[in-house]
Amino acid sequence: MCGFVCLWNVGDETLATRMITKIAHRGPDAVEVIEGRGKPVVMAHCRLSIIGPEDGSQPIYQDDDLLVANGEIYNHADLRAILGESAFETESDSEAILHMFRSGELRWVSRLDGMFAFVLATRERIIAARDPLGIKPLYMARIGDGLAFASELKAFDGLHLTGIEAIPPGSLFDSKDGPRRWYRTPHGAAEPEEDLDVEATARELRLVLEEAVTKWMVADVEVGAFLSGGLDSSIIAALAARAAPGRLKTFSVGAEGSPDLRAARRVAAHIGSDHHEYAFTAEDVAAVLPHVIYHLESADVDLVRSAVPTHFAARLAREHVKAVLTGEGADELFAGYGYHHAYVDTPRELADELTRSLNAMHNINLQRVDRITMAESLEARTPFLDRDLIDFAQSIPATLKLRRTDPGALESTGETTEKWILRKACADLLPTDLVWRKKAQFDEGSGTVEMLEAALMKRAGADAPLDRAAEGALYEGLLRAAYEDADFILENAGTWDSPDRVDPDAA
């Protein structure tokens, strides 16, 4: 996991150094700046060593090709076997990107399985690409006739550049052939086929989940897990505890006595993890808000609310590990948000909404997870967003994800049960009352809403809770104070707003 900057047809090492310094928190283990020989490119890279820590430094320079990458290629061992080990000069998973490009395959980037963003330069062209759902960020801007690429928007702050945009998820920009979309999220199924075996579907989902967690734990360092006590993180932690080579470390945060802390302790005891927790206060929240908003690169109310507990969890985890698994993606795949219940009788609309929300994650929850964990030099991994798991989950009909249920039945969380098939597939992993526990938003179950209310009153000098508009204005003020040129940050910021999405606070 890393951060990088690339300048094409600019050739300014001083500028590249200035830009990489602003995102050096993404990779504290090493920082390097290289100017390409015989090509108009400068690349800068800051490294958090996870795979190949001894010899995986970047930029990777071989012959006439230069590469910087961020993320993890989980099938790099398979690609090495296919391409031939003799071609590789390091143990870094990122090197597989370079050799896949050199293989000459027309759709070579589609062979990369993982979360990644990269820029690759040859003598004649520059190529930039991003993973299927945009787990890892990548931005591009114009500098005269040249281009600048960076892992975070803050790298561009104060440069007064134009045309800043995100490389879309599942897309590739090629200075020779132009942009193209190399991955499209499969559309979700609505109704079951006539002969669908529900029990067999649940069993297969479990196998795909187990495979995804095992794959996303590949590392040369210890991998821990966030554990909120909710269903998603508990499933991931339970599967990871079985796959971990040693005792899994888990991390939970919340207000003292909050439901999440209590539930997380139970899950940790059940799976036998080495559990760590931190109880934060309103004073803690007030103190970290400027830091959180600066790194989040957004003043969106819902994103900030969920980013606060993520910050405390990331800070706690980084004291013990360099990488963690998270439960992000389960809500979008299996209908886990409160507003989804309105679709219980319209499965086609639900399937369409889940597909839409998957495609929007890069600018919302995935932006939060990436920025806030990387601010603490921690790699966050999202096994629910494994490509094979996405493909299988999207083939499961929406009627098995959100169901009308008998509130008194065992396999129920009320009159309608969200993530029904996921709960059924993993029911043996956790205590029954936790599997069928009613869901709470991370910021609600952790006690963040109450802590924020008090923290915002303190910051604003108010004697009554701030309404949503005032809360958003306060966040924007903190963001503007943190940046020299805040307008372009706000223009590109993640936001929950969508004409197709119900307000999450309304359900």
Side-chain angles (χ1 to χ4, degrees):
M1 189 61 63
C2 313
F4 64 74
V5 165
C6 178
L7 303 177
W8 176 257
N9 278 334
V10 178
D12 188 335
E13 286 192 46
T14 301
L15 177 58
T17 300
R18 173 183 172 184
M19 293 175 71
I20 199 68
T21 299
K22 292 188 176 183
I23 59 172
H25 50 271
R26 298 185 68 92
D29 293 336
V31 176
E32 294 193 39
V33 181
I34 293 179
E35 185 170 4
R37 298 187 299 266
K39 58 180 69 65
V41 64
V42 178
M43 288 186 174
H45 188 269
C46 54
R47 185 178 186 226
L48 179 66
S49 53
I50 302 291
I51 294 178
E54 300 302 323
D55 65 349
S57 63
Q58 294 191 40
I60 297 174
Y61 208 151
Q62 293 184 12
D63 299 330
D64 289 333
D65 302 328
L66 192 60
L67 169 76
V68 281
N70 169 29
E72 306 291 349
I73 308 299
Y74 294 118
N75 65 334
H76 73 100
D78 294 338
L79 295 177
R80 282 173 179 268
I82 293 169
L83 295 166
E85 187 68 38
S86 61
F88 288 77
E89 298 180 5
T90 75
E91 295 299 318
S92 170
D93 58 301
S94 297
E95 191 181 345
I97 300 169
L98 180 60
H99 295 296
M100 280 308 305
F101 165 72
R102 290 176 168 180
S103 72
E105 289 193 23
L106 293 178
R107 300 192 67 249
W108 60 273
V109 70
S110 67
R111 297 285 299 278
L112 304 173
D113 185 5
M115 55 178 190
F116 56 83
F118 66 83
V119 177
L120 191 159
T122 70
R123 287 185 178 275
E124 299 84 20
R125 67 207 279 205
I126 192 162
I127 297 169
R130 199 171 174 197
D131 65 62
L133 288 190
I135 299 171
K136 304 319 299 174
L138 180 54
Y139 295 94
M140 181 174 71
R142 307 282 174 178
I143 302 181
D145 294 330
L147 297 171
F149 301 88
S151 297
E152 295 187 16
L153 286 167
K154 59 180 62 67
F156 301 111
D157 187 39
L159 302 182
H160 308 294
L161 304 182
T162 60
I164 297 173
E165 60 185 279
I167 300 291
S171 295
L172 179 149
F173 170 84
D174 188 333
S175 61
K176 176 183 176 183
D177 299 323
R180 67 182 177 90
R181 183 84 173 268
W182 63 269
Y183 175 86
R184 292 186 183 278
T185 306
H187 209 77
E191 301 278 0
E193 298 173 3
E194 191 171 323
D195 58 348
L196 179 70
D197 186 329
V198 175
E199 296 292 334
T201 300
R203 290 195 299 272
E204 190 66 20
L205 172 58
R206 172 64 170 272
L207 292 175
V208 178
L209 267 168
E210 290 177 354
E211 190 173 70
V213 170
T214 300
K215 181 198 303 183
W216 286 61
M217 290 187 74
V218 171
D220 291 330
V221 298
E222 186 177 7
V223 178
F226 283 166
L227 181 56
S228 72
L231 180 69
D232 308 338
S233 66
S234 296
I235 287 173
I236 295 298
L239 293 174
R242 296 184 175 194
R247 192 179 178 200
L248 179 75
K249 288 184 172 68
T250 53
F251 307 96
S252 180
V253 300
E256 189 67 54
S258 64
D260 274 1
L261 284 183
R262 294 196 303 269
R265 287 172 199 155
R266 285 193 62 203
V267 173
H270 185 80
I271 66 176
S273 66
D274 177 9
H275 191 56
H276 305 263
E277 64 179 44
Y278 177 75
F280 56 81
T281 65
E283 289 73 21
D284 293 333
V285 174
V288 303
L289 267 178
H291 172 87
V292 167
I293 290 171
Y294 170 72
H295 283 285
L296 181 62
E297 299 184 336
S298 174
D300 180 80
V301 169
D302 294 302
L303 277 184
V304 174
R305 287 179 178 180
S306 57
V308 168
T310 303
H311 161 78
F312 290 115
R315 191 178 67 181
L316 172 65
R318 190 60 179 90
E319 295 175 1
H320 303 273
V321 297
K322 278 185 156 184
V324 292
L325 304 180
T326 83
E328 247 66 43
D331 290 326
E332 288 79 5
L333 284 173
F334 298 102
Y337 289 118
Y339 80 95
H340 287 149
H341 289 266
Y343 294 99
V344 66
D345 296 320
T346 55
R348 179 69 270 159
E349 291 182 20
L350 175 59
D352 291 347
E353 170 59 15
L354 295 180
T355 303
R356 185 206 65 78
S357 61
L358 275 171
N359 288 326
M361 285 191 75
H362 67 99
N363 207 34
I364 309 171
N365 272 339
L366 291 179
Q367 176 170 323
R368 168 182 56 82
V369 171
D370 172 82
R371 301 302 191 283
I372 301 304
T373 57
M374 290 309 297
E376 305 305 314
S377 304
L378 179 75
E379 175 178 285
R381 298 180 171 191
T382 55
F384 274 116
L385 298 180
D386 178 78
R387 202 194 312 184
D388 290 337
L389 179 51
I390 291 171
D391 289 348
F392 187 76
Q394 287 291 86
S395 75
I396 298 174
T399 53
L400 295 185
K401 299 177 179 180
L402 178 67
R403 306 192 84 180
R404 286 201 176 276
T405 49
D406 177 357
L410 176 64
E411 296 182 347
S412 164
T413 62
E415 293 184 356
T416 57
T417 297
E418 74 281 0
K419 294 189 281 198
W420 183 86
I421 190 68
L422 178 63
R423 296 175 193 271
K424 188 173 182 63
C426 301
D428 64 306
L429 289 173
L430 302 163
T432 300
D433 63 315
L434 290 181
V435 173
W436 300 101
R437 171 193 180 203
K438 279 194 175 292
K439 173 185 166 59
Q441 298 267 133
F442 184 29
D443 55 1
E444 295 168 355
S446 64
T448 304
V449 171
E450 294 80 6
M451 295 296 100
L452 260 177
E453 186 175 278
L456 293 173
M457 290 171 60
K458 181 181 179 67
R459 276 204 158 266
D463 53 9
L466 275 62
D467 60 24
R468 190 177 177 89
E471 182 180 353
L474 189 151
Y475 296 157
E476 182 175 333
L478 290 174
L479 187 145
R480 289 189 176 279
Y483 287 96
E484 181 179 336
D485 183 12
D487 286 336
F488 88 91
I489 297 285
L490 291 166
E491 288 166 5
N492 289 277
T495 173
W496 280 107
D497 293 341
S498 167
D500 304 314
R501 190 183 192 282
V502 178
D503 183 343
D505 288 340

